[in-house]
Amino acid sequence: MHIRGHGLTLADVVQVACDGSAVVEIAPDVPARLARSRALINAILAEGRIVYGVNTGFGKLSSVTISPTALTELQLNLVRSHACGVGVPLSEAETRAMMLLRANVLAQGTSGVRPVVLEQLVALLNARVHPVIPEKGSVGASGDLSPLAHLALVLIGEGEASFQGERLPGCIALARAGLRPLALEAKEGLALLNGTQAMSAVGGLALARLLELAELADIAGALSLDALHGTAAAFDARIHAARPHPGQITVARHLRTLLDGSAIMASHRDCPRVQDAYSLRCMPQVHGAARDVFHFAQHTLETEFNSATDNPLVFTDTGEVLSGGNFHGAPVALALDACAMAAATLGGIAERRIERLLNPDLSELPAFLSRQPGLQSGLMMAQVTAAALCNENMGLAHPASVGSLPTGAAKEDFVSMGMTAALKLRTVAENLAAILAIELLVATQALPFLRPLRTSPQLQQVEDFIHTLAPPLEGDTPLTPCIQAIQTRLPDILDVARNAVAGNSA
């Protein structure tokens, strides 16, 4: 894959982050662009002009002019002093995504770095030398300073890195990969630190997960609806054309396709019940609204992936170096906070469907799907676990982006907290995955009680696959292995459903 400073998609980021064979190359026109940008920085230094970040201190110390003989030391001190993160390291995938995003920003040619800086970063990525980056310590303005400083440390042969399964000092990791430490020149340390690449990496991978989970929510919901003798009447295309939110229309169509041909549904088509509970009837409205939020966030993040987030920015067409605030993470933070609320909503409506499946007053099924209610508790605790996960997501859905605390001696007096939003979203997404795994477990345990009637051919393939992971239960058993088996295989379950739908429509 080539990086050129534009055109990077969420799918590209996921591929480089998660595919061990992915190789990143610098587009042929990029080095010349960087050389022109660097030439302007060198000209400014030769003329003795004072430019923020080039020959001044940083933040509150921007009024301090730095001697030409100390410019290299200035950049080195910046990287070292800003490496102040705490907590567990980012995952390998998150680190790789962050490295790719920072490289794409440098490729734009507005940061004033030499081509060798970008080349070194790409070389680390391809050699799978992964900086150890503590996940906490960024307030999201001036960008993700601390996480990016930990990344930059390894470029210069300091800090720590993971290489071939070992956690090593940065200099040793570089040596084993056949790389040499980079010596930073004027502005290059700052160019590596300013930006939103940590929040965008963590949030982007969480969003990619949520886009899949949104589709799985429809599948789980369709299975639950059929097990509960629900009707697809509420998914009629005319209803949703009358309120044409894109996600709502998409989900209604998806549910109709999934349920098409269900013998269970055909068996009660003329029953007197005309409306289902909201958790069933309103899936297009609720699931669809969440999808629309996720797609808004995807547009926001892909814009950010291809944006210049350094400060100051170098404009070679006019010969100017301008200070601004493109490092501020507000666009990303707000989008990720919205995703957390949407994901918590998907988990909440799924938990209500789980309750309906297990509550005999609502389901027309045995209590807790137990073969011997009373003697056996059945799947009673599955709903309890789902409720606990929902409660955690409710708390995590509180937006981080409204919680600014001033930093940098009040020079940075309103910050985004975008990294906090990203870390929260990662947890919310994993909780949602577990909730949907529980719903898939419960729904597919319920359907055998309706035999000889069966669900649609499409959903039957999903049910059959899940039963290879969690066969119909004959008695009480620990449910954790069943839930974990399903959660681990959620991507495969999605593939089964997609292939079944494609086969049915062929």
Side-chain angles (χ1 to χ4, degrees):
M1 190 196 80
H2 284 83
I3 56 169
R4 46 180 48 89
H6 59 83
L8 195 66
T9 67
L10 181 59
D12 294 331
V13 173
V14 172
Q15 179 186 6
V16 172
C18 303
D19 183 353
S21 62
V23 175
V24 175
E25 297 180 358
I26 300 169
D29 62 326
V30 169
R33 187 187 309 153
L34 267 61
R36 290 192 297 271
S37 176
R38 185 63 198 179
L40 179 54
I41 295 296
N42 290 337
I44 288 171
L45 292 171
E47 294 168 12
R49 290 160 52 189
I50 304 300
V51 175
Y52 171 72
V54 177
N55 45 19
T56 71
F58 309 103
K60 183 70 172 177
L61 303 175
S62 59
S63 59
V64 179
T65 302
I66 307 300
S67 164
T69 60
L71 295 183
T72 299
E73 184 182 359
L74 172 70
Q75 301 301 311
L76 188 59
N77 288 342
L78 175 70
V79 172
R80 287 171 172 168
S81 65
H82 282 55
C84 193
V86 298
V88 300
L90 297 180
S91 70
E92 180 179 295
E94 290 165 338
T95 301
R96 289 183 61 78
M98 186 174 161
M99 295 167 75
L100 173 68
L101 293 176
R102 194 64 210 163
N104 197 55
V105 168
L106 296 181
Q108 292 199 11
T110 56
S111 297
V113 301
R114 295 166 295 153
V116 68
V117 177
L118 176 58
E119 291 163 3
Q120 176 86 335
L121 183 51
V122 171
L124 257 67
L125 189 57
N126 288 334
R128 305 190 72 82
V129 175
H130 302 130
V132 174
I133 302 173
E135 67 178 14
K136 297 180 181 179
S138 171
V139 297
S142 301
D144 294 313
L145 292 172
S146 183
L148 286 164
H150 283 278
L151 187 159
L153 276 178
V154 178
L155 289 175
I156 63 174
E158 299 187 12
E160 289 185 291
S162 173
F163 181 65
Q164 295 182 345
E166 286 189 77
R167 182 167 169 169
L168 304 164
C171 58
I172 295 176
L174 289 181
R176 290 193 183 179
L179 301 171
R180 292 183 178 182
L182 178 69
L184 297 175
E185 296 188 2
K187 195 187 180 298
E188 291 178 340
L190 184 61
L192 289 166
L193 267 59
N194 269 152
T196 58
Q197 285 66 56
M199 68 178 81
S200 295
V202 175
L205 293 181
L207 174 59
R209 177 84 157 144
L210 288 172
L211 289 168
E212 291 191 342
L213 292 176
E215 195 171 343
L216 280 159
D218 297 349
I219 297 163
L223 286 163
S224 295
L225 180 135
D226 224 9
L228 289 164
H229 288 102
T231 175
F235 310 147
D236 189 294
R238 292 167 293 182
I239 295 173
H240 305 285
R243 193 196 194 194
H245 292 292
Q248 180 175 329
I249 290 172
T250 298
V251 171
R253 181 173 59 247
H254 192 208
L255 290 168
R256 291 195 305 271
T257 302
L258 289 167
L259 290 160
D260 184 39
S262 167
I264 297 172
M265 194 162 293
S267 72
H268 60 84
R269 186 161 287 144
D270 299 321
C271 76
R273 190 174 69 196
V274 295
Q275 288 193 145
D276 293 316
Y278 289 176
S279 60
L280 302 172
R281 189 192 341 158
C282 296
M283 281 191 283
Q285 291 81 2
V286 177
H287 291 198
R291 283 192 185 219
D292 286 342
V293 170
F294 297 155
H295 287 135
F296 154 72
Q298 182 176 0
H299 173 75
T300 299
L301 282 171
E302 289 182 339
T303 299
E304 192 74 3
F305 294 167
N306 299 289
S307 296
T309 57
D310 194 3
N311 180 54
L313 294 177
V314 179
F315 297 96
T316 56
D317 55 343
T318 62
E320 294 177 281
V321 180
L322 303 178
S323 290
N326 278 5
F327 49 67
H328 202 287
V332 175
L334 288 165
L336 298 183
D337 276 339
C339 286
M341 289 186 281
T345 300
L346 281 180
I349 195 171
E351 184 277 330
R352 289 293 80 200
R353 293 191 295 263
I354 294 167
E355 158 69 7
R356 300 193 77 83
L357 287 163
L358 297 177
N359 186 335
D361 296 332
L362 303 173
S363 69
E364 302 175 10
L365 294 164
F368 308 112
L369 304 182
S370 171
R371 300 286 176 179
Q372 300 182 62
L375 176 64
Q376 299 174 354
S377 294
L379 279 77
M380 177 192 297
M381 290 304 296
Q383 184 266 333
V384 174
T385 299
L389 293 166
C390 282
N391 179 260
E392 183 178 3
N393 278 357
M394 290 173 188
L396 292 171
H398 179 82
S401 52
V402 300
S404 173
L405 292 168
T407 61
K411 186 79 168 183
E412 299 152 2
D413 62 345
F414 193 83
V415 300
S416 75
M417 298 300 180
M419 189 59 171
T420 306
L423 294 171
K424 288 196 306 98
L425 185 62
R426 179 219 281 161
T427 303
V428 170
E430 270 319 295
N431 286 346
L432 175 59
I435 293 167
L436 293 178
I438 292 171
E439 184 179 8
L440 289 166
L441 171 66
V442 174
T444 53
Q445 292 294 320
L447 286 167
F449 284 98
L450 307 183
R451 300 287 191 259
L453 296 174
R454 290 186 179 269
T455 187
S456 70
Q458 305 80 255
L459 291 176
Q460 188 62 56
Q461 290 189 46
V462 175
E463 180 188 350
D464 291 344
F465 181 78
I466 292 174
H467 282 164
T468 68
L469 308 173
L473 301 177
E474 297 300 326
D476 281 350
T477 187
L479 297 177
T480 295
C482 299
I483 297 168
Q484 290 178 338
I486 295 171
Q487 185 174 350
T488 300
R489 300 293 295 277
L490 286 177
D492 298 318
I493 293 169
L494 184 55
D495 285 342
V496 169
R498 287 172 173 171
N499 292 334
V501 167
N504 186 59
S505 60

